[in-house]
Amino acid sequence: MTFLLRAPPDIAAANLRLIHPDGRIENLFATPTQNNFVIQGDPGGYTAIIEPLGQGPVSFGFDAPGGQTVEIQTPRLSELRAGDLRTTGFSPSAAEAPVGRTVAAPAGPSSATLGALSSTSQHDDLAGLLRESSKARPITIGLSQDTRPRTAGGWRPYRGPAPDVLVADGAVEVMLQPTQILPAPDKGARLRMSVAIAEARVERFLVPLFAGGVRIVFSASALTTVDVTMRVIPIESGRRALCQALAVGYADEARDIVGGFFGDVSRAPLDSRNDPWTAIVTALLAVRFPELSIPTTDSWCAFAKESASWIADAHILAAREWLDRGRRSEGPERERAAAQAIDALAEARRVGAPYFALSNTLMGDMLTSLASGAPGADNRERAAVEAKRWRRDITFRRSIGATFSWTMARRNAPGQKDRSLYSPTRGGLQAAYSKVLFRGAVDLDQIRPKSPATPQPLKAPRAGSGRAAERSPLTVQAGAFLALNTAGFATNFAVANILSTRKPTAAKRASTRPQPARAGQKPEPRDDDPPALRRRVRHRDDLNKGRFGGKSEVDGFHLAVSFDDIRGRWVYMTLSITAPEGSTESYVDRAIFFLHNSFDADRLTAVFRNDCASVSIVSYGGFTVGAWLPSRLIELELDLARVPGAPKRIQIY
């Protein structure tokens, strides 16, 4: 029999091992342009082991009926990893479809396991070490923009359109869509993402603004809370496959990916001026796989001087081009080429960190080689100086897939030789340099949004009034809240002194006091804005109240909250929207939750899974949650303080 096997629709590059009913194994490789496979086999049960490049494998089982032509669509990779697949739906009758078989990712250590380890340990410090590595920690994610490329001191808070923040399966995704108005590549397009974990680390990386957009995924580690797993993923599948090949691919895989990328006639020609990051990735692939004929920019030396002078990777590739010229030269020309290569590498250092990890490795390899074997004593001396600078902070560098990242280090104190890790006690970022996109708490299971400050309790309702009294404006310490616009979104990200590791001056404290929303003002509109944001604000201290229709259930869609835990002054809760059975498509339909304006990420997007979309948050008090379902044009509203059984802190704050 013959059947058609389609790879997961959300995959870019992956190895597929198909196990036939007779035990035969067929190896396949899926790319964005080659993701359908004609399979010759016998009727019966099959198992497909899917291993995306750079990620762990998942398996999926299905039955192929005989006597008819069948098209088998493998479910989305996100569904397989979630382990919630109900039926494959490949049989002619959906009722007869077999249940998909998945392999779930290993779970992190449970509290019982940690307790057993600590009680049986022979080392006194093990119990404390385990508790320290597993305790929940504050986490802050911020975005900065280079206002003066190629000049030191130009990093300032990002001032462009707010990126979309998606919360799904305990992870946080920040999406920079191609529809957003971003700075031109040669006019400050350098964006820097920062992640601060309390008493642990501050890690940074540059965000490559690939054509088609990019998303950055942050997820909790199952082993420790002093680190998080990060991934920088181009949204367009072809570019995503190129990055996967650069990070972990082999030559045969890279050949298929590159051939499919440049052979796809539906894709616009590669524009290195408007998308230099894709051009750099293809050039680095040519360096990593010299046996492949990969088209690259004609002259990186010219490109680095003109359009990409603000990109360190371009100068590194220019240095390699100079060395290639030197190998084909003799005498003074060879020495001059080496000098030009060293100049390009020195310029790359002055420009700043590279975008890609292979660029950093390539720079170190060239400097080490030039320091020991460059023609000319002056060249060797200059290369040795640059190599020493490159090695200085080598222990603070790492890679996030294909992306280069670095951990912030403290400056050396007088008399101190080794630089130490910079770890802010509150996990905050300096508001003068980063626009906070998300603030929350990370544990071994998930990352949750968290409100940043503590208000004063509200006045109790009047006796016999029959309803809760109107809330009075919140009273907070200066700098604890962000300035608000009418829709309740934080717009001035340079004001919250709780974000900063430095104590603000009195003048700055005075200039950053929170301002109430003004009636009549309108926020900058977005494509997915609900009608609620165009309605008048009725309650200045609870901006969502009365604007989302006042109903928690519409057309079978129900907005609810479950209060999970109370830890000190913080209330852990889960907001969820349940839909009528079968009315939503998993991982496609989405819901947008609108939180209190004291949250830095006060607009969270969650995808539906099994007709439910949910987000977990941490808050110090109650507020009104608004929700918007763009595909159904449905608004929902829920006042947490009025929910039966709500904790006292939620009711009175």
Side-chain angles (χ1 to χ4, degrees), residues 577-602:
I577 298 177
T578 55
E581 184 175 358
S583 63
T584 61
E585 184 177 355
S586 293
Y587 296 96
V588 175
D589 290 328
R590 58 196 177 96
I592 305 176
F593 294 84
F594 293 83
L595 309 181
H596 191 269
N597 45 262
S598 60
F599 286 81
D600 289 297
D602 57 2

PDB file of all heavy atoms in Angstrom, residues 577-602:
ATOM      1  N   ILE A 577     -10.159  30.569  30.375  1.00  0.00           N
ATOM      2  CA  ILE A 577     -11.363  30.707  29.550  1.00  0.00           C
ATOM      3  C   ILE A 577     -11.659  29.331  28.973  1.00  0.00           C
ATOM      4  O   ILE A 577     -10.817  28.742  28.275  1.00  0.00           O
ATOM      5  CB  ILE A 577     -11.173  31.722  28.419  1.00  0.00           C
ATOM      6  CG1 ILE A 577     -10.903  33.110  28.991  1.00  0.00           C
ATOM      7  CG2 ILE A 577     -12.399  31.752  27.509  1.00  0.00           C
ATOM      8  CD1 ILE A 577     -10.635  34.163  27.934  1.00  0.00           C
ATOM      9  N   THR A 578     -12.827  28.802  29.276  1.00  0.00           N
ATOM     10  CA  THR A 578     -13.256  27.516  28.720  1.00  0.00           C
ATOM     11  C   THR A 578     -14.270  27.768  27.615  1.00  0.00           C
ATOM     12  O   THR A 578     -15.140  28.636  27.726  1.00  0.00           O
ATOM     13  CB  THR A 578     -13.873  26.619  29.807  1.00  0.00           C
ATOM     14  OG1 THR A 578     -14.935  27.330  30.460  1.00  0.00           O
ATOM     15  CG2 THR A 578     -12.834  26.231  30.839  1.00  0.00           C
ATOM     16  N   ALA A 579     -14.125  27.011  26.549  1.00  0.00           N
ATOM     17  CA  ALA A 579     -14.989  27.158  25.380  1.00  0.00           C
ATOM     18  C   ALA A 579     -15.885  25.941  25.242  1.00  0.00           C
ATOM     19  O   ALA A 579     -15.596  24.873  25.792  1.00  0.00           O
ATOM     20  CB  ALA A 579     -14.133  27.334  24.129  1.00  0.00           C
ATOM     21  N   PRO A 580     -16.974  26.058  24.507  1.00  0.00           N
ATOM     22  CA  PRO A 580     -17.793  24.877  24.223  1.00  0.00           C
ATOM     23  C   PRO A 580     -16.948  23.796  23.544  1.00  0.00           C
ATOM     24  O   PRO A 580     -16.047  24.097  22.760  1.00  0.00           O
ATOM     25  CB  PRO A 580     -18.879  25.418  23.283  1.00  0.00           C
ATOM     26  CG  PRO A 580     -18.952  26.888  23.594  1.00  0.00           C
ATOM     27  CD  PRO A 580     -17.560  27.294  23.943  1.00  0.00           C
ATOM     28  N   GLU A 581     -17.231  22.561  23.851  1.00  0.00           N
ATOM     29  CA  GLU A 581     -16.411  21.450  23.374  1.00  0.00           C
ATOM     30  C   GLU A 581     -16.339  21.434  21.843  1.00  0.00           C
ATOM     31  O   GLU A 581     -17.345  21.517  21.146  1.00  0.00           O
ATOM     32  CB  GLU A 581     -16.986  20.121  23.871  1.00  0.00           C
ATOM     33  CG  GLU A 581     -16.135  18.919  23.503  1.00  0.00           C
ATOM     34  CD  GLU A 581     -16.661  17.637  24.107  1.00  0.00           C
ATOM     35  OE1 GLU A 581     -17.675  17.701  24.845  1.00  0.00           O
ATOM     36  OE2 GLU A 581     -16.065  16.580  23.841  1.00  0.00           O
ATOM     37  N   GLY A 582     -15.099  21.364  21.363  1.00  0.00           N
ATOM     38  CA  GLY A 582     -14.870  21.285  19.925  1.00  0.00           C
ATOM     39  C   GLY A 582     -14.998  22.591  19.181  1.00  0.00           C
ATOM     40  O   GLY A 582     -14.921  22.600  17.948  1.00  0.00           O
ATOM     41  N   SER A 583     -15.142  23.709  19.879  1.00  0.00           N
ATOM     42  CA  SER A 583     -15.367  24.991  19.202  1.00  0.00           C
ATOM     43  C   SER A 583     -14.077  25.735  18.885  1.00  0.00           C
ATOM     44  O   SER A 583     -14.104  26.733  18.171  1.00  0.00           O
ATOM     45  CB  SER A 583     -16.274  25.885  20.060  1.00  0.00           C
ATOM     46  OG  SER A 583     -15.650  26.185  21.297  1.00  0.00           O
ATOM     47  N   THR A 584     -12.944  25.276  19.418  1.00  0.00           N
ATOM     48  CA  THR A 584     -11.674  25.964  19.169  1.00  0.00           C
ATOM     49  C   THR A 584     -10.665  24.980  18.594  1.00  0.00           C
ATOM     50  O   THR A 584     -10.753  23.769  18.806  1.00  0.00           O
ATOM     51  CB  THR A 584     -11.107  26.577  20.454  1.00  0.00           C
ATOM     52  OG1 THR A 584     -10.851  25.540  21.418  1.00  0.00           O
ATOM     53  CG2 THR A 584     -12.074  27.595  21.040  1.00  0.00           C
ATOM     54  N   GLU A 585      -9.676  25.525  17.883  1.00  0.00           N
ATOM     55  CA  GLU A 585      -8.589  24.726  17.323  1.00  0.00           C
ATOM     56  C   GLU A 585      -7.363  24.897  18.208  1.00  0.00           C
ATOM     57  O   GLU A 585      -6.884  26.023  18.410  1.00  0.00           O
ATOM     58  CB  GLU A 585      -8.281  25.157  15.890  1.00  0.00           C
ATOM     59  CG  GLU A 585      -7.224  24.296  15.218  1.00  0.00           C
ATOM     60  CD  GLU A 585      -6.981  24.693  13.773  1.00  0.00           C
ATOM     61  OE1 GLU A 585      -7.715  25.575  13.283  1.00  0.00           O
ATOM     62  OE2 GLU A 585      -6.064  24.136  13.158  1.00  0.00           O
ATOM     63  N   SER A 586      -6.853  23.793  18.731  1.00  0.00           N
ATOM     64  CA  SER A 586      -5.725  23.842  19.660  1.00  0.00           C
ATOM     65  C   SER A 586      -4.507  24.485  19.002  1.00  0.00           C
ATOM     66  O   SER A 586      -4.178  24.206  17.849  1.00  0.00           O
ATOM     67  CB  SER A 586      -5.362  22.442  20.142  1.00  0.00           C
ATOM     68  OG  SER A 586      -6.385  21.897  20.953  1.00  0.00           O
ATOM     69  N   TYR A 587      -3.865  25.374  19.759  1.00  0.00           N
ATOM     70  CA  TYR A 587      -2.630  26.067  19.379  1.00  0.00           C
ATOM     71  C   TYR A 587      -2.814  27.010  18.196  1.00  0.00           C
ATOM     72  O   TYR A 587      -1.841  27.475  17.624  1.00  0.00           O
ATOM     73  CB  TYR A 587      -1.504  25.064  19.088  1.00  0.00           C
ATOM     74  CG  TYR A 587      -1.102  24.264  20.299  1.00  0.00           C
ATOM     75  CD1 TYR A 587      -1.628  23.000  20.518  1.00  0.00           C
ATOM     76  CD2 TYR A 587      -0.233  24.793  21.240  1.00  0.00           C
ATOM     77  CE1 TYR A 587      -1.288  22.270  21.643  1.00  0.00           C
ATOM     78  CE2 TYR A 587       0.129  24.071  22.359  1.00  0.00           C
ATOM     79  CZ  TYR A 587      -0.404  22.808  22.555  1.00  0.00           C
ATOM     80  OH  TYR A 587      -0.054  22.100  23.665  1.00  0.00           O
ATOM     81  N   VAL A 588      -4.063  27.272  17.823  1.00  0.00           N
ATOM     82  CA  VAL A 588      -4.343  28.233  16.758  1.00  0.00           C
ATOM     83  C   VAL A 588      -5.195  29.375  17.301  1.00  0.00           C
ATOM     84  O   VAL A 588      -4.804  30.548  17.228  1.00  0.00           O
ATOM     85  CB  VAL A 588      -5.036  27.553  15.561  1.00  0.00           C
ATOM     86  CG1 VAL A 588      -5.434  28.603  14.515  1.00  0.00           C
ATOM     87  CG2 VAL A 588      -4.128  26.501  14.947  1.00  0.00           C
ATOM     88  N   ASP A 589      -6.360  29.061  17.849  1.00  0.00           N
ATOM     89  CA  ASP A 589      -7.207  30.093  18.448  1.00  0.00           C
ATOM     90  C   ASP A 589      -6.561  30.612  19.725  1.00  0.00           C
ATOM     91  O   ASP A 589      -5.910  29.869  20.461  1.00  0.00           O
ATOM     92  CB  ASP A 589      -8.589  29.522  18.758  1.00  0.00           C
ATOM     93  CG  ASP A 589      -9.389  29.236  17.500  1.00  0.00           C
ATOM     94  OD1 ASP A 589      -9.209  29.966  16.515  1.00  0.00           O
ATOM     95  OD2 ASP A 589     -10.163  28.265  17.496  1.00  0.00           O
ATOM     96  N   ARG A 590      -6.763  31.878  20.008  1.00  0.00           N
ATOM     97  CA  ARG A 590      -6.094  32.488  21.154  1.00  0.00           C
ATOM     98  C   ARG A 590      -7.042  33.415  21.905  1.00  0.00           C
ATOM     99  O   ARG A 590      -8.079  33.833  21.382  1.00  0.00           O
ATOM    100  CB  ARG A 590      -4.849  33.257  20.710  1.00  0.00           C
ATOM    101  CG  ARG A 590      -5.129  34.356  19.703  1.00  0.00           C
ATOM    102  CD  ARG A 590      -3.877  34.828  18.992  1.00  0.00           C
ATOM    103  NE  ARG A 590      -4.187  35.832  17.987  1.00  0.00           N
ATOM    104  CZ  ARG A 590      -4.100  37.141  18.188  1.00  0.00           C
ATOM    105  NH1 ARG A 590      -3.712  37.604  19.369  1.00  0.00           N
ATOM    106  NH2 ARG A 590      -4.395  38.001  17.246  1.00  0.00           N
ATOM    107  N   ALA A 591      -6.635  33.709  23.124  1.00  0.00           N
ATOM    108  CA  ALA A 591      -7.370  34.647  23.972  1.00  0.00           C
ATOM    109  C   ALA A 591      -6.379  35.651  24.535  1.00  0.00           C
ATOM    110  O   ALA A 591      -5.231  35.305  24.833  1.00  0.00           O
ATOM    111  CB  ALA A 591      -8.074  33.910  25.105  1.00  0.00           C
ATOM    112  N   ILE A 592      -6.829  36.893  24.694  1.00  0.00           N
ATOM    113  CA  ILE A 592      -5.982  37.948  25.240  1.00  0.00           C
ATOM    114  C   ILE A 592      -6.562  38.370  26.582  1.00  0.00           C
ATOM    115  O   ILE A 592      -7.731  38.762  26.674  1.00  0.00           O
ATOM    116  CB  ILE A 592      -5.900  39.155  24.285  1.00  0.00           C
ATOM    117  CG1 ILE A 592      -5.425  38.703  22.891  1.00  0.00           C
ATOM    118  CG2 ILE A 592      -4.959  40.207  24.830  1.00  0.00           C
ATOM    119  CD1 ILE A 592      -5.419  39.813  21.867  1.00  0.00           C
ATOM    120  N   PHE A 593      -5.737  38.282  27.634  1.00  0.00           N
ATOM    121  CA  PHE A 593      -6.133  38.672  28.980  1.00  0.00           C
ATOM    122  C   PHE A 593      -5.578  40.064  29.269  1.00  0.00           C
ATOM    123  O   PHE A 593      -4.389  40.327  29.032  1.00  0.00           O
ATOM    124  CB  PHE A 593      -5.597  37.677  30.019  1.00  0.00           C
ATOM    125  CG  PHE A 593      -6.190  36.298  29.918  1.00  0.00           C
ATOM    126  CD1 PHE A 593      -5.677  35.370  29.025  1.00  0.00           C
ATOM    127  CD2 PHE A 593      -7.258  35.929  30.722  1.00  0.00           C
ATOM    128  CE1 PHE A 593      -6.211  34.094  28.933  1.00  0.00           C
ATOM    129  CE2 PHE A 593      -7.804  34.656  30.638  1.00  0.00           C
ATOM    130  CZ  PHE A 593      -7.278  33.742  29.738  1.00  0.00           C
ATOM    131  N   PHE A 594      -6.421  40.926  29.808  1.00  0.00           N
ATOM    132  CA  PHE A 594      -6.017  42.277  30.182  1.00  0.00           C
ATOM    133  C   PHE A 594      -6.007  42.361  31.706  1.00  0.00           C
ATOM    134  O   PHE A 594      -7.059  42.257  32.350  1.00  0.00           O
ATOM    135  CB  PHE A 594      -6.966  43.314  29.577  1.00  0.00           C
ATOM    136  CG  PHE A 594      -6.888  43.392  28.077  1.00  0.00           C
ATOM    137  CD1 PHE A 594      -7.597  42.500  27.285  1.00  0.00           C
ATOM    138  CD2 PHE A 594      -6.075  44.327  27.458  1.00  0.00           C
ATOM    139  CE1 PHE A 594      -7.513  42.543  25.907  1.00  0.00           C
ATOM    140  CE2 PHE A 594      -5.985  44.388  26.080  1.00  0.00           C
ATOM    141  CZ  PHE A 594      -6.707  43.497  25.301  1.00  0.00           C
ATOM    142  N   LEU A 595      -4.816  42.565  32.291  1.00  0.00           N
ATOM    143  CA  LEU A 595      -4.643  42.578  33.735  1.00  0.00           C
ATOM    144  C   LEU A 595      -4.648  44.010  34.254  1.00  0.00           C
ATOM    145  O   LEU A 595      -4.816  44.972  33.495  1.00  0.00           O
ATOM    146  CB  LEU A 595      -3.334  41.879  34.108  1.00  0.00           C
ATOM    147  CG  LEU A 595      -3.106  40.489  33.499  1.00  0.00           C
ATOM    148  CD1 LEU A 595      -1.774  39.932  33.979  1.00  0.00           C
ATOM    149  CD2 LEU A 595      -4.249  39.548  33.822  1.00  0.00           C
ATOM    150  N   HIS A 596      -4.430  44.146  35.545  1.00  0.00           N
ATOM    151  CA  HIS A 596      -4.301  45.468  36.161  1.00  0.00           C
ATOM    152  C   HIS A 596      -3.069  46.162  35.602  1.00  0.00           C
ATOM    153  O   HIS A 596      -2.080  45.529  35.239  1.00  0.00           O
ATOM    154  CB  HIS A 596      -4.189  45.326  37.682  1.00  0.00           C
ATOM    155  CG  HIS A 596      -4.324  46.621  38.411  1.00  0.00           C
ATOM    156  ND1 HIS A 596      -3.237  47.414  38.720  1.00  0.00           N
ATOM    157  CD2 HIS A 596      -5.413  47.264  38.899  1.00  0.00           C
ATOM    158  CE1 HIS A 596      -3.646  48.483  39.374  1.00  0.00           C
ATOM    159  NE2 HIS A 596      -4.969  48.419  39.488  1.00  0.00           N
ATOM    160  N   ASN A 597      -3.141  47.481  35.504  1.00  0.00           N
ATOM    161  CA  ASN A 597      -2.059  48.230  34.893  1.00  0.00           C
ATOM    162  C   ASN A 597      -0.768  48.233  35.709  1.00  0.00           C
ATOM    163  O   ASN A 597       0.260  48.727  35.252  1.00  0.00           O
ATOM    164  CB  ASN A 597      -2.502  49.677  34.658  1.00  0.00           C
ATOM    165  CG  ASN A 597      -3.227  50.272  35.847  1.00  0.00           C
ATOM    166  OD1 ASN A 597      -4.456  50.290  35.859  1.00  0.00           O
ATOM    167  ND2 ASN A 597      -2.491  50.727  36.849  1.00  0.00           N
ATOM    168  N   SER A 598      -0.778  47.688  36.920  1.00  0.00           N
ATOM    169  CA  SER A 598       0.463  47.613  37.686  1.00  0.00           C
ATOM    170  C   SER A 598       1.362  46.481  37.208  1.00  0.00           C
ATOM    171  O   SER A 598       2.545  46.446  37.552  1.00  0.00           O
ATOM    172  CB  SER A 598       0.160  47.428  39.180  1.00  0.00           C
ATOM    173  OG  SER A 598      -0.577  46.240  39.401  1.00  0.00           O
ATOM    174  N   PHE A 599       0.817  45.556  36.417  1.00  0.00           N
ATOM    175  CA  PHE A 599       1.644  44.514  35.802  1.00  0.00           C
ATOM    176  C   PHE A 599       2.414  45.126  34.634  1.00  0.00           C
ATOM    177  O   PHE A 599       1.844  45.853  33.819  1.00  0.00           O
ATOM    178  CB  PHE A 599       0.783  43.367  35.279  1.00  0.00           C
ATOM    179  CG  PHE A 599       0.210  42.474  36.336  1.00  0.00           C
ATOM    180  CD1 PHE A 599      -0.934  42.845  37.032  1.00  0.00           C
ATOM    181  CD2 PHE A 599       0.796  41.262  36.632  1.00  0.00           C
ATOM    182  CE1 PHE A 599      -1.481  42.024  37.997  1.00  0.00           C
ATOM    183  CE2 PHE A 599       0.262  40.422  37.596  1.00  0.00           C
ATOM    184  CZ  PHE A 599      -0.875  40.808  38.289  1.00  0.00           C
ATOM    185  N   ASP A 600       3.705  44.812  34.544  1.00  0.00           N
ATOM    186  CA  ASP A 600       4.458  45.278  33.377  1.00  0.00           C
ATOM    187  C   ASP A 600       3.931  44.626  32.106  1.00  0.00           C
ATOM    188  O   ASP A 600       3.802  45.275  31.079  1.00  0.00           O
ATOM    189  CB  ASP A 600       5.946  44.963  33.556  1.00  0.00           C
ATOM    190  CG  ASP A 600       6.583  45.837  34.622  1.00  0.00           C
ATOM    191  OD1 ASP A 600       6.607  47.066  34.435  1.00  0.00           O
ATOM    192  OD2 ASP A 600       7.027  45.303  35.651  1.00  0.00           O
ATOM    193  N   ALA A 601       3.667  43.337  32.164  1.00  0.00           N
ATOM    194  CA  ALA A 601       3.010  42.638  31.058  1.00  0.00           C
ATOM    195  C   ALA A 601       1.527  42.554  31.397  1.00  0.00           C
ATOM    196  O   ALA A 601       1.043  41.560  31.917  1.00  0.00           O
ATOM    197  CB  ALA A 601       3.608  41.255  30.863  1.00  0.00           C
ATOM    198  N   ASP A 602       0.795  43.640  31.137  1.00  0.00           N
ATOM    199  CA  ASP A 602      -0.617  43.683  31.518  1.00  0.00           C
ATOM    200  C   ASP A 602      -1.539  43.243  30.390  1.00  0.00           C
ATOM    201  O   ASP A 602      -2.748  43.316  30.496  1.00  0.00           O
ATOM    202  CB  ASP A 602      -1.006  45.088  31.979  1.00  0.00           C
ATOM    203  CG  ASP A 602      -0.728  46.152  30.941  1.00  0.00           C
ATOM    204  OD1 ASP A 602      -0.259  45.796  29.843  1.00  0.00           O
ATOM    205  OD2 ASP A 602      -0.963  47.337  31.225  1.00  0.00           O
TER     206      ASP A 602
END
